Amino acid sequence: LPSKGRLLEIASGTGQHAAHFAAALPGITWVPSELEASSRESIEAYRAESGLPNLESPIALDVASLPWPVSRVDAIFCANMIHIAPFACAASLFQGAGMHLNEGGVLVLYGPFQFSGTFTSESNAAFDADLRSRDARWGVRDVDDLDSLATEAGLARTECVAMPANNHLLVFRRNGAS
């Protein structure tokens, strides 16, 4: 992430990530977002409790409804969303990133992924099967497919970092700028 700037978090959930990262990254203005009103209430509670000047109130945002209700940002962070949503939401995430990221801005994704059709662990394969049994549109996404979405949106993957519990952090930069 940049050392300073404005960051949009997509699908902020309860607000735990927003409060944690805003405290750890005081140069970044963190803008949490959520579709569900109850989640935005939880995020607002975390924000109020933290008292952090760089943590904004959450905005209502449906990733599939473009353009999003935000101005340009320097970074977008999204953890654990694209596998529990239809693939069209991943496509919208990349399209929105292409529209809203400043030149050289980054889209950072965290979660489980496949690489060229291969799961990184048996537990990720089982997780994928479980997700698809709940909703056939869900599933652990393949990085090759995400790279294609990125290219279409004017982004390029610049980093892939292995994380605990068979997850990865993927970094995509707008227009391939460094």
Side-chain angles (χ1 to χ4, degrees):
L1 295 174
S3 59
K4 61 181 180 175
R6 187 171 176 80
L7 179 145
L8 171 65
E9 181 182 11
I10 301 290
S12 300
T14 64
Q16 290 175 314
H17 288 143
H20 174 81
F21 287 123
L25 303 166
I28 295 179
T29 299
W30 201 273
V31 182
S33 72
E34 250 308 329
L35 180 59
E36 300 294 327
S38 60
S39 293
R40 290 192 307 275
E41 290 171 9
S42 176
I43 296 165
E44 183 58 31
Y46 272 100
R47 188 194 71 76
E49 182 179 304
S50 75
L52 294 166
N54 63 323
L55 179 55
E56 293 189 0
S57 290
I59 61 172
L61 188 146
D62 178 350
V63 73
S65 183
L66 297 168
W68 299 329
V70 295
S71 59
R72 308 280 296 182
V73 294
D74 301 295
I76 297 172
F77 175 71
C78 183
N80 295 318
M81 181 204 75
I82 64 173
H83 57 276
I84 55 171
F87 188 75
C89 291
S92 292
L93 174 63
F94 279 91
Q95 289 172 338
M99 294 171 66
H100 293 281
L101 280 173
N102 289 323
E103 177 129 3
V106 294
L107 167 62
V108 179
L109 301 181
Y110 172 84
F113 299 100
Q114 293 182 54
F115 292 84
S116 299
T118 303
F119 291 100
T120 59
S121 68
E122 288 183 25
S123 63
N124 278 0
F127 182 48
D128 179 72
D130 177 64
L131 289 170
R132 291 177 190 280
S133 74
R134 291 189 262 163
D135 188 320
R137 301 170 303 160
W138 296 1
V140 174
R141 306 302 176 197
D142 195 300
V143 173
D144 293 346
D145 295 331
L146 301 181
D147 285 345
S148 294
L149 293 175
T151 299
E152 292 170 15
L155 289 87
R157 182 163 45 98
T158 58
E159 290 184 69
C160 177
V161 181
M163 302 295 285
N166 303 308
N167 289 304
H168 285 80
L169 189 76
L170 305 177
V171 180
F172 299 86
R173 191 167 299 277
R174 184 169 176 265
N175 293 332
S178 53

